[in-house]
Amino acid sequence: MTAQEIRQAFLDFFASKQHTIVPSAPIVVKNDPTLMFTNAGMNQFKAVFLGEEPVKFPRVADTQRCLRVSGKHNDLEEVGIDTYHHTMFEMLGNWSFGDYFKKEAIAWSWELLTEVYKLDKDRLYVTYFEGDEKEGLAADTETLELWRAFVAEDHILPGNKKDNFWEMGETGPCGPCTEIHYDGRSDAERAAKPGAEFVNGVDDSVMEIWNNVFMQFNRLKDGSLQPLPAKHVDTGMGFERLVRILQGKTSNYDTDVFQPLIQFIADKSGIAYGKDVKTDIAMRVMADHIRAISFAIADGQLPASNKAGYVIRRILRRAVRYSYQQLNFKEPFLNQLVPLLAQQFEGVFTELVEQKDFVQKVVLEEETAFLRTLEQGIKKFNEIDTKVITGELAFELSDTYGFPIDLTELMAREGGKSVDISGYEASLQKQKLRSRAATAVDTGDWIVLRGGDNTRFVGYDELMVERVEILKYRKVTAQGKEQYHVVLDTTPFYAEGGGQVGDTGQLVSEWYDEQTGPLVLQVVDTRKENGLIIHVVEPQSTYAPPDFKEVPGKLPNPMPRRYSAFVDNGKRMFTNANHSATHLLNAALKQILGDHISQKGSFVNHEYLRFDFSHFSKISEGDLEGIERTVNSKIRECIPLKEQRSVYYRDAIESGATAAFGEKYGDFVRVITFDDKFSKELCGGTHVKNTGEIGFIKITSESAVAAGVRRIEAVTSVFAENYVSEQFNVLKDVKEVLKNPANVKKSLETLLEDNARMKKELEKGVLLKASGLKDGLAKKAELINGINFIAEKVELPNADAIKNLAYSIKDIVADLFLVLVAEIDGKPSITVMVADNLVKEKGLNAGAIIKELAKEVQGGGGGQPFYATAGGKDVTGLPKVLEKAKAFIPAN
């Protein structure tokens, strides 16, 4: 069977068991602060397991693309080295939400593996949870008895909590599980030792292929287990491992999932796959990593310098390092794999097929930039003049230039040097601790005041609602700051989403104290987490009693449950204007630049808007003016908002509505239209009632933010008025300085031309002065042990003049050791020049000398063995520099 046939057989099988086949969720997670990427098939159903979202389909199956490169599940450094770890992989899964349970799940998994896939029953081993006394959990004897109907007793094995009790994390849904393992060893090996001895061992010939998790509990923060509202089934089967078994291979990379990519790499590099361990690893790394990179970009995550974007950039750079180091690709190559990858997934994951050109261009730009960085890193490495490379420097090469530590060690050995590995590990650990501390969040358990989790959102129509109730709340501490998360039964607060920030405002209690008034909770943000609308509350209020710091834990007992909810009307009004303006801007960009424009992200708050879109060149001033003019014309038309709620997704798309990049939509969507022929988009955000409420728009900047992605920032309404007023005042000040000329531009150009001419004349004078100093300093050379030594203070205005002077002296004085000091703009400057022959014959090193001399001026510096410079803070130390310099002349 081909990989395509194997995947389809799984989906067809569960469709025959009345499962709804659902699409894969994006690999990038947008509504769960505990995750950056989807790392398991159950992630998109987490809220259903917790009872926070209603069950849409009781039985579901899919193939979910997952990424495991950060946090608890981090396989990155093993990828490519062994035969079965991957960054992105497919997880075949079937779920039951309060419907069937252990009996059906076990029977169907056995039926699929042995009757559809025809796996040898004697090669299959199953495990069950043996119980845990400390947790008070009994053995899962129900699962044991169910397996006895299908599997021989010696192929059913007990498993401990580590292997057979699945937990999503420190808190959250969990339960016992049963794993299915496949013994892929030869008949002779199996005859010598039974497979039972290798289950959950180190031999990857005996591997887990399917895990059936029986979700029964919710792990609370205190470690206790709370029964879930309903029992669920959550299964996951590694697609790549399954294909390996069914195709009779000993490595996942030898299957038709990876071989087309690997053979393409082999052909282009001229190196055969399977001949050398190092080049094989490099090809596997590239074939694996391009999958993760491509799908992350297609799902909306561009490579960046922080958070999820940095993870993708790190994966990409790891692939480029291997291609550069082991396969000798010195020019961008990784991007060429994207079209081939898209072809493989045609009909499976359409996201990549639809965006392959964009993804390829982004990868190309990232490769090009990183190859430049690698070259800079090699240059930096070559400047190291010590025999031992410090741990700090090795870490800098890794962190800044993308050098893996093994590459630094290899280059060090080739140059007769060594690396302080323990120092490198210490620097790496420090960074990890800093990163953990910066992101550490202590989240308490939910305290439930009233049953139910479904919040009714009325914020499209209302900004104030009376008699809302708190359903539950929890305490959250991040970096020493306390906040509370509150869930209401009804809310007018819009939760952050689609680029729009969450609403702020107040919750005012019905409870009233004669001395202090009502309890007022300040809502500082509104977010969505796994389907829950969460109001972030700061523990401060003018009206609350002194012990409000413990809100809502110690306020009055019982805690007031009913409130009036007030959204900050001013902020919402300006946010509406900016959000609607992004829709008009998107339409104007397509009208003027072309249909290739696709939204790649946005940010909207009450002060300004930011809009990212696909475009591979800077927008001309003329086009920018045209875009702004088009949007403003639509604003002046006062186009009424046409809002359609609960439109069937397919109907919305067929009607011409645009879907936002990287967003996941349900069966029913909301459509926002401003003129059917101009702007029609799927959107869950808030908007103006007609475009006239925007006032007008002013674009403040246009720039590149990533490969193939441009960004426009703009302001609207009163903020646009303020911006224009500020710019007008600046122009007014400039005109006053220029004595109110009729043509400001021409006056400025004349001023700049005059300034440039005077600067050139000044530089010419400085050069003449330096040239005059050259001969005088050359005559002061003191011959010491075969070295012409010069140490003098010079009066020159800048570093370039001193550099030119040093090089000109080097041209006329042989065997030169030159030290020049100067005071430039009140700061000390030191320059050291050493003749090339003295570097080789006498061991003089300008870079090493300058570091010692710089200590006298409380500064630092560096450079090459023949030329180096330094600066500092203390000009009074310059005489000591000149005195100390002579000490570096070696004895005969």
Side-chain angles (χ1 to χ4, degrees), residues 106-312:
I106 287 171
W108 289 338
S109 60
W110 190 254
E111 180 185 348
L112 176 63
L113 291 175
T114 61
E115 296 182 24
V116 177
Y117 290 137
K118 308 293 185 185
L119 290 182
D120 183 351
K121 296 178 182 179
D122 194 46
R123 288 181 177 269
L124 295 174
Y125 291 81
V126 299
T127 64
Y128 68 95
F129 180 49
E130 65 184 7
D132 189 282
E133 189 175 336
K134 289 182 181 178
E135 293 274 8
L137 292 168
D140 186 4
T141 54
E142 182 185 359
T143 293
L144 171 62
E145 292 302 321
L146 288 168
W147 275 125
R148 281 174 171 162
F150 303 103
V151 184
E153 196 73 30
D154 61 345
H155 281 231
I156 307 174
L157 309 172
N160 58 24
K161 180 186 170 188
K162 176 178 177 292
D163 293 324
N164 282 88
F165 192 87
W166 193 92
E167 303 200 49
M168 183 181 67
E170 293 183 3
T171 61
C174 56
C177 63
T178 177
E179 298 175 342
I180 304 173
H181 296 252
Y182 181 81
D183 186 351
R185 295 174 303 149
S186 66
D187 290 338
E189 289 173 316
R190 292 173 61 226
K193 277 191 177 182
E197 296 184 20
F198 297 92
V199 169
N200 285 322
V202 295
D203 189 339
D204 67 2
S205 296
V206 181
M207 74 177 92
E208 173 198 342
I209 56 171
W210 203 349
N211 190 11
N212 281 251
V213 180
F214 306 120
M215 292 288 193
Q216 295 175 240
F217 306 104
N218 181 31
R219 175 78 70 181
L220 300 180
K221 186 173 175 55
D222 63 5
S224 63
L225 294 171
Q226 179 186 72
L228 288 170
K231 293 180 179 180
H232 311 290
V233 172
D234 162 24
T235 84
M237 178 155 55
F239 172 68
E240 291 79 10
R241 294 184 182 189
L242 179 64
V243 174
R244 164 182 168 177
I245 290 168
L246 292 175
Q247 293 185 355
K249 306 296 183 181
T250 57
S251 165
N252 294 7
Y253 292 99
D254 291 341
T255 68
D256 64 349
V257 176
F258 292 97
Q259 274 301 303
L261 295 168
I262 288 174
Q263 292 305 322
F264 183 82
I265 297 166
D267 179 60
K268 295 299 182 181
S269 66
I271 301 171
Y273 180 70
K275 301 294 184 182
D276 181 84
V277 172
K278 288 184 177 180
T279 54
D280 285 357
I281 289 173
M283 292 183 196
R284 290 198 291 267
V285 166
M286 293 174 69
D288 172 275
H289 287 11
I290 192 60
R291 289 157 41 101
I293 295 160
S294 297
F295 277 104
I297 295 170
D299 281 344
Q301 183 54 67
L302 296 169
S305 57
N306 55 32
K307 297 184 180 179
Y310 177 71
V311 175
I312 303 307

Side-chain angles (χ1 to χ4, degrees), residues 421-686:
I421 295 297
S422 61
Y424 167 80
E425 294 291 347
S427 294
L428 183 62
Q429 189 62 27
K430 284 180 185 176
Q431 187 201 49
K432 287 181 178 179
L433 290 173
R434 285 194 301 269
S435 178
R436 287 185 194 132
T439 57
V441 178
D442 183 19
T443 304
D445 292 323
W446 287 110
I447 298 172
V448 179
L449 299 183
R450 200 194 89 182
D453 279 308
N454 296 326
T455 299
R456 185 170 67 98
F457 174 65
V458 297
Y460 293 139
D461 307 305
E462 305 288 342
L463 294 182
M464 189 279 283
V465 182
E466 296 180 340
R467 295 183 64 83
V468 303
E469 286 193 43
I470 291 181
L471 299 178
K472 62 183 180 180
Y473 66 89
R474 68 187 179 190
K475 185 177 180 179
V476 177
T477 305
Q479 297 178 318
K481 184 178 182 180
E482 290 182 0
Q483 293 180 324
Y484 289 83
H485 291 175
V486 173
V487 177
L488 304 174
D489 66 339
T490 303
T491 184
F493 289 84
Y494 176 81
E496 178 182 358
Q500 180 177 332
V501 298
D503 279 333
T504 62
Q506 292 182 331
L507 299 176
V508 181
S509 70
E510 286 188 355
W511 169 85
Y512 185 89
D513 184 275
E514 291 184 0
Q515 293 182 339
T516 60
L519 170 59
V520 179
L521 306 181
Q522 303 290 346
V523 180
V524 297
D525 195 8
T526 311
R527 305 170 187 162
K528 190 168 280 190
E529 180 179 318
N530 299 315
L532 278 182
I533 295 177
I534 293 175
H535 305 78
V536 182
V537 175
E538 292 279 10
Q540 291 127 20
S541 172
T542 308
Y543 304 98
D547 59 353
F548 188 80
K549 289 183 179 178
E550 295 299 327
V551 127
K554 290 185 180 178
L555 274 178
N557 194 6
M559 168 71 182
R561 284 166 47 179
R562 292 190 180 89
Y563 298 77
S564 290
F566 299 90
V567 173
D568 186 320
N569 187 32
K571 284 187 177 180
R572 170 71 87 84
M573 179 178 67
F574 291 127
T575 302
N576 289 349
N578 283 333
H579 198 155
S580 297
T582 63
H583 284 225
L584 302 182
L585 181 60
N586 190 13
L589 284 163
K590 289 179 180 178
Q591 187 179 94
I592 291 175
L593 299 181
D595 290 336
H596 67 282
I597 295 295
S598 173
Q599 180 178 342
K600 299 301 178 187
S602 66
F603 176 81
V604 173
N605 66 11
H606 70 285
E607 295 180 315
Y608 76 104
L609 67 89
R610 187 176 71 213
F611 189 79
D612 298 342
F613 54 97
S614 57
H615 192 61
F616 281 86
S617 62
K618 181 176 175 59
I619 301 175
S620 69
E621 287 299 322
D623 281 341
L624 268 181
E625 289 176 7
I627 292 162
E628 186 176 278
R629 194 162 44 245
T630 299
V631 174
N632 278 320
S633 71
K634 294 298 178 181
I635 291 172
R636 287 191 298 273
E637 287 180 31
C638 295
I639 304 168
L641 166 68
K642 179 183 175 183
E643 178 196 19
Q644 297 167 279
R645 301 179 190 177
S646 298
V647 179
Y648 188 51
Y649 175 79
R650 190 181 300 279
D651 291 342
I653 295 300
E654 288 177 356
S655 74
T658 302
F661 175 66
E663 291 290 337
K664 181 188 176 185
Y665 296 96
D667 290 337
F668 293 92
V669 294
R670 180 166 172 258
V671 181
I672 296 297
T673 305
F674 291 107
D675 183 345
D676 282 296
K677 296 180 180 178
F678 188 70
S679 172
K680 190 173 190 177
E681 295 188 30
L682 306 188
C683 182
T686 63

Side-chain angles (χ1 to χ4, degrees), residues 678-782:
F678 188 70
S679 172
K680 190 173 190 177
E681 295 188 30
L682 306 188
C683 182
T686 63
H687 290 273
V688 297
K689 297 302 180 186
N690 76 77
T691 59
E693 293 177 21
I694 299 171
F696 78 102
I697 190 172
K698 186 63 188 173
I699 294 174
T700 57
S701 71
E702 186 273 341
S703 61
V705 290
V709 178
R710 308 293 298 181
R711 169 173 293 171
I712 282 180
E713 294 189 11
V715 286
T716 66
S717 189
V718 68
F719 293 94
E721 288 180 21
N722 293 340
Y723 178 81
V724 171
S725 180
E726 288 168 6
Q727 298 302 307
F728 181 80
N729 287 334
V730 169
L731 178 60
K732 183 179 176 183
D733 291 342
V734 170
K735 290 175 72 174
E736 286 179 1
V737 170
L738 296 174
K739 308 300 182 186
N740 293 305
N743 190 325
V744 177
K745 182 181 177 183
K746 186 175 180 180
S747 293
L748 279 173
E749 288 173 347
T750 300
L751 185 63
L752 290 172
E753 288 170 3
D754 290 344
N755 184 60
R757 185 174 61 255
M758 291 173 66
K759 188 175 179 181
K760 285 181 180 179
E761 290 175 358
L762 181 61
E763 288 173 352
K764 192 182 296 182
V766 169
L767 289 173
L768 287 172
K769 183 177 180 180
S771 179
L773 289 171
K774 175 185 67 173
D775 294 331
L777 288 172
K779 290 176 182 177
K780 291 185 178 182
E782 181 181 357

